[in-house]
Amino acid sequence: MGESNQSAASDFILMGLFSNTGSHLVLFFLVVIMFTMGLLSNTILLYLIHTDSRLHTPMYFLLSQLSLLDIGFPLTTIPKMMAAFLQGGGSISFGGCAAQMFFLMLMGVSECALLSLMSYDRYVAVCHPLHYPVLMRRQVCLLMVGTSWFSGVLVASIQTSITLHFPFCASHTVDHFFCELPALLKLSCADTSAYELALSVLGVLILLLPISLIATSYSHVLGAVLRMHSAEARHKAFTTCSSHITVVGLFYGTALYMYMVPGTYHSPQQDNMVSLFYSLITPTLNPLIYSLRNREVRMALVKVLSKPGCRLRR
């Protein structure tokens, strides 16, 4: 108990992502630009979905939840990293570290579940279009979104409480630019092997179950598309599904590397880069993928920009 109290009273030191060198200063400003672009593009997408009646469909309702998660991911990690870079120190309190870890796991697990449920939405739209209004009615959509968020809260609550229960009586220097679970476990002076094994099993379930649903959904979608006689219908089906498949590839590719490849096969520097990818780059790219490839989103944006108040005054 004394060791736990000692660890709770101490701050952690985050190593940061960049050193204060000239080349890293350029990279820092690139991160700032991407962070701003990501927040702005996701906010715009949320606004378009909320205000344009043509986007009041199940697919875009689910997409709005993805945008919320993509706003939360960088907000949880990047401002602290930027502040540490500018101040020349990366100290974070025990409570702040716990909050970072909780919200990152919450959003990560929620996005895993949400992306898999979005693939079911595309399966219903392509394979059962006549039953789509019934199978994807509002109550079902709310249940899907509630399940995604609840799964995130449940897993994050359990894993955060267990992880922070371990004593951190040795070094408090986290070899990462935010408080991520694997990096914190390396600092514990207790035996965490059983917990790490349980985390690996849980990680397989959290990742493979959604991936199985996604693969099943799109195998049916592919079969339905190949049976279509109209080239226009095939193109429309591929267009509506390709954006989601691209987003799934970006998110799950990094998640599989981080949580299913044993830690001995990647260095802390590689972990930093992969974590930056899924916490900043992917959330920035997601709204661009949907807005550039979806005609409805482009039309909604043009409609907003064409309003008198949005036109540039000469």
Side-chain angles (χ1 to χ4, degrees), residues 35 39 73-86 100:
F35 172 71
L39 292 184
F73 256 120
L75 279 178
T76 305
T77 57
I78 303 303
K80 180 62 181 177
M81 183 271 289
M82 292 191 296
F85 180 86
L86 295 174
Q100 259 197 351

Side-chain angles (χ1 to χ4, degrees), residues 222-289:
L222 180 61
V225 169
L226 293 177
R227 290 192 297 270
M228 292 178 179
H229 300 292
S230 169
E232 182 180 353
R234 284 198 299 270
H235 179 265
K236 183 178 180 180
F238 274 122
T239 301
T240 57
C241 297
S242 58
S243 297
H244 180 252
I245 293 174
T246 304
V247 170
V248 166
L250 289 172
F251 181 81
Y252 278 97
T254 53
L256 288 172
Y257 175 86
M258 282 297 297
Y259 294 100
M260 293 190 67
V261 175
T264 53
Y265 290 93
H266 42 89
S267 65
Q269 292 75 22
Q270 290 172 326
D271 288 345
N272 278 337
M273 291 300 104
V274 173
S275 297
L276 181 68
F277 194 90
Y278 76 72
S279 65
L280 177 63
I281 298 175
T282 299
T284 301
L285 293 177
N286 286 352
L288 299 178
I289 292 170

